[in-house]
Amino acid sequence: MSTDAHPHAAPGGIGGFTGQADPYRGGDPYADYRAPDPAALPFTALPDLADRRLGGSVVAASDEFFAERENLLLPHPARFDPLAFGHKGKVMDGWETRRRRGTGPGTPLPASDDHDWALIRLGVPGVVRGLVVDTAHFRGNHPAAVRVEASADPDDPGGWTELLPRTPVGGHAANAFAVTAAPRRVTHLRLSQFPDGGVARLRAYGEAVPDPAWLAALGTFDLAALEHGGLAEDASDRFYSPPVHTTHPGRARAMDEGWETRRRREPGNDWLAYRLAAQGVVRAVEIDTGTYKGNAPGWASLSVRDAEGPEPDVWHEILPPTALLPDCLHRLTLPAPAPPATHARLDVLPDGGIARLRLHGTPTAAGMARLTEHHAALSAWG
């Protein structure tokens, strides 16, 4: 992504305005794609709360004449086939509206405030920390500018707040922005593009904030699940796919929907680290190696620690090294009661792929109280 400054770059913009894109001239369509250095986007380590695999949905749009709104939330990068044309024109993998017009030949261009919009329901409610408005393959048909607003009540006209003010964006680029607005729990986003055009993908990276009343009603639930507020904080290796996949709902359908390491050639082992949804007691463990048939780990062990207890840095092994089978859902009971914990670590020996990890347990009274307070603080609007 270009680092040239632009007078209309928004606060929180990563790398500034990317400018116009060159026409496609053949070959690899991503060869001239502009994107920031991943090191400049710390928020992308967080889950994409709008991900279709989490239940994200584009529930309405002002116009989708050329390309369907649902494409905005597809998890894979946008694809481009230079030979694909339909009866409406070029087939694009994104959301694309028709060209807006002014009021007459004397004013043929649309008014400055004319725009199209798409309404997105997040798959998981939470606090949005960063946005990527990706215009991949939209070179001369991308919007001039975009705006992103958020709400916890989309039916309330006054309940919307700006996450990203109206900001110029470049074509065929990952336009990335850190969100600097006060943190609020939101359920919906509204993407506006001025005056019209195409956006390939929208990513809304952030922290899940579940409803504590729902979790209290469940009693025992997966303390590591993204939808419950769990977070895959780190991993020893992200070569093939990210650790956040292990906290997604459902079972993986292919290897790229789990977490997989490169082949280890040195001593040691790979690992995953998690922050639990709340301080709680793990009671049962599921380790799913589904779809990993020749590349599952040989063994795995699980340890926990309590960052709120008297020994916040001490890890306690609650599941000793246990043999794993390929392409198999392992349901494991613990050999002894586990202590309260806020964090967990799964060690895989020596390397390989894990599709899902489920840590079924019950929050402590203190853990549920803190979760409820956190939800209330982030749900206060006004």
Side-chain angles (χ1 to χ4, degrees):
M1 175 175 285
S2 168
T3 57
D4 295 341
H6 189 276
H8 301 295
I14 305 294
F17 178 59
T18 57
Q20 305 303 316
D22 293 329
Y24 175 64
R25 304 187 188 283
D28 178 6
Y30 271 110
D32 59 341
Y33 177 68
R34 285 86 54 80
D37 182 343
L41 303 178
F43 57 76
T44 58
L46 298 171
D48 175 10
L49 302 180
D51 194 325
R52 178 60 186 160
R53 293 169 296 186
L54 301 179
S57 177
V58 187
V59 296
S62 59
D63 184 281
E64 49 184 328
F65 184 85
F66 286 114
E68 296 79 10
R69 67 195 192 219
E70 288 83 4
N71 292 335
L72 276 172
L73 305 185
L74 295 179
H76 57 264
R79 302 185 175 104
F80 181 73
D81 180 353
L83 302 180
F85 285 85
H87 68 281
K88 293 183 180 180
K90 184 72 186 72
V91 175
M92 297 295 289
D93 184 5
W95 168 53
E96 185 180 5
T97 69
R98 73 192 80 198
R99 299 188 188 213
R100 284 181 169 269
R101 299 298 185 224
T103 57
T107 54
L109 294 176
S112 62
D113 288 335
D114 285 354
H115 65 278
D116 287 312
W117 54 266
L119 178 63
I120 295 102
R121 184 185 64 234
L122 298 180
V124 177
V127 177
V128 178
R129 300 293 188 180
L131 296 160
V132 174
V133 181
D134 191 347
T135 57
H137 314 303
F138 290 97
R139 296 169 179 268
N141 50 350
H142 61 282
V146 298
R147 179 180 65 209
V148 179
E149 301 162 284
S151 177
D153 183 3
D155 294 326
D156 178 5
W160 290 87
T161 186
E162 276 191 341
L163 299 184
L164 177 69
R166 181 171 173 172
T167 304
V169 291
H172 194 45
N175 299 275
F177 309 95
V179 172
T180 58
R184 293 287 186 270
R185 180 184 187 268
V186 300
T187 59
H188 290 73
L189 301 179
R190 186 164 59 200
L191 170 66
S192 298
Q193 56 173 338
F194 297 83
D196 53 36
V199 174
R201 300 287 189 267
L202 175 68
R203 309 298 188 208
Y205 298 99
E207 302 160 9
V209 182
D211 182 353
W214 172 249
L215 297 182
L218 293 178
T220 296
F221 54 87
D222 180 5
L223 294 167
L226 193 165
E227 61 187 314
H228 297 151
L231 179 66
E233 287 192 310
D234 202 359
S236 58
D237 186 287
R238 302 165 183 257
F239 189 82
Y240 287 111
S241 44
V244 66
H245 287 175
T246 62
T247 64
H248 277 193
R251 298 196 67 189
R253 296 167 296 177
M255 288 193 297
D256 65 343
E257 293 188 3
W259 169 72
E260 183 184 1
T261 73
R262 73 191 81 198
R263 299 189 187 213
R264 178 171 282 272
R265 303 306 189 195
E266 63 277 353
N269 66 275
D270 287 310
W271 50 266
L272 289 160
Y274 299 86
R275 187 187 71 204
L276 303 183
Q279 183 193 60
V281 176
V282 177
R283 304 190 184 282
V285 177
E286 291 184 29
I287 303 174
D288 189 355
T289 59
T291 76
Y292 294 108
K293 299 181 178 180
N295 47 357
W299 303 264
S301 65
L302 182 70
S303 301
V304 298
R305 69 178 179 90
D306 184 8
E308 300 169 4
E311 298 178 306
D313 299 321
V314 176
W315 289 92
H316 301 275
E317 185 180 85
I318 62 173
L319 182 72
T322 301
L324 299 181
L325 296 172
D327 193 29
C328 180
L329 175 60
H330 306 78
R331 288 177 170 158
L332 307 167
T333 56
L334 302 179
T342 58
H343 294 74
R345 172 179 166 132
L346 183 73
D347 285 278
V348 298
L349 311 169
D351 56 27
I354 297 291
R356 299 287 188 268
L357 176 69
R358 309 294 187 208
L359 302 179
H360 301 290
T362 306
T364 64
M368 182 56 74
R370 277 187 285 275
L371 193 153
T372 302
E373 292 169 3
H374 182 64
H375 179 273
L378 293 174
S379 300
W381 289 68

